[in-house]
Structure formats: structure tokens, C-alpha cells
Amino acid sequence: MSDAEKSGFLSKLIGPKKRWRTYKARVKELPGNYRTAVEAIERNLMHFVPTDEDSNASMFEDLADLFEQAAADGTPIREVVGEDPVEFVEAFARNYSEGGYVPARARKQLTDDIARAAGNETGTQDETA
């Protein structure tokens, strides 16, 4: 894959670089457990590549909006993503594209990461890594 092809693929995956950097800065400002949840969801959303860069950038910006509001309101992570984080990610991504396939390993990692993040907000910590 040439550098131009890589650049085009990455741009399609994350959207325009300036918007991506702004999104990442917003995520960095979230409280730790919300940031952990967003980063876990983000990894899985990378499997869902919309047909245009703007849709993908909007998807990540909307994810940041959702978790910023949840953090501001004190909404628990489980109330945001529900009991099945894989289902949440798939439904969220469907709003932006036809979606993609999320491998079983990525699904398990998402479920584990959300459980860890949700456990952190109640004072209980999942000791598995």
C-alpha cells in the first residue's frame, strides 16, 4: 500500500486530521472511567468505516458529545452503553454506515473494558487484565 493509499484509508477511518485531534483532546479531558469507556468503544468503532470521511468524523464527535454529557450529568457508564456494549457499538455505528464486522476477540475486549470502566465508577475494580 502506497503512502497516498494509507493516507486515504486513515482519512476515511478517522476523518479529517484536525477534527480527529480535536476529538482526541476532548476524550483526554473526560474523567478516567469515561475516557476508558470511550477509548474501548473507539477501538471497536474502527471496524465500522462509513462511506465518507465526514460521517466518520461525526461519529467520533457524537461519541465524545454523548460521554461528555454523561460525565457532566453523572450518568453511570452502564446507563449509557447498557448491559451489552457490543450491541451498543453496533447500534451506534449503524447510524453512520452499513457497518463492519467486529471480530469475536474485539467484542470480548470491549465487554471487558466496559466492565472495568463501569466498575471503577462504583468503587469496585475488576482485577482481571
Side-chain angles (χ1 to χ4, degrees), residues 45-70:
L45 286 174
M46 293 293 187
H47 295 280
F48 295 87
V49 182
T51 55
D52 66 273
E53 299 164 13
D54 193 52
S55 290
N56 220 14
S58 294
M59 177 173 66
F60 289 111
E61 291 164 346
D62 290 349
L63 180 64
D65 289 344
L66 178 64
F67 277 85
E68 285 170 341
Q69 189 63 52

Side-chain angles (χ1 to χ4, degrees), residues 55-98:
S55 290
N56 220 14
S58 294
M59 177 173 66
F60 289 111
E61 291 164 346
D62 290 349
L63 180 64
D65 289 344
L66 178 64
F67 277 85
E68 285 170 341
Q69 189 63 52
D73 294 343
T75 304
I77 291 168
R78 284 289 180 197
E79 283 189 31
V80 177
V81 301
E83 289 304 312
D84 186 351
V86 173
E87 185 179 306
F88 169 82
V89 168
E90 290 173 348
F92 188 84
R94 273 193 300 272
N95 290 316
Y96 302 91
S97 76
E98 293 298 315

Side-chain angles (χ1 to χ4, degrees), residues 33 39 62 96 108:
N33 56 334
E39 289 169 348
D62 290 349
Y96 302 91
K108 181 174 179 352

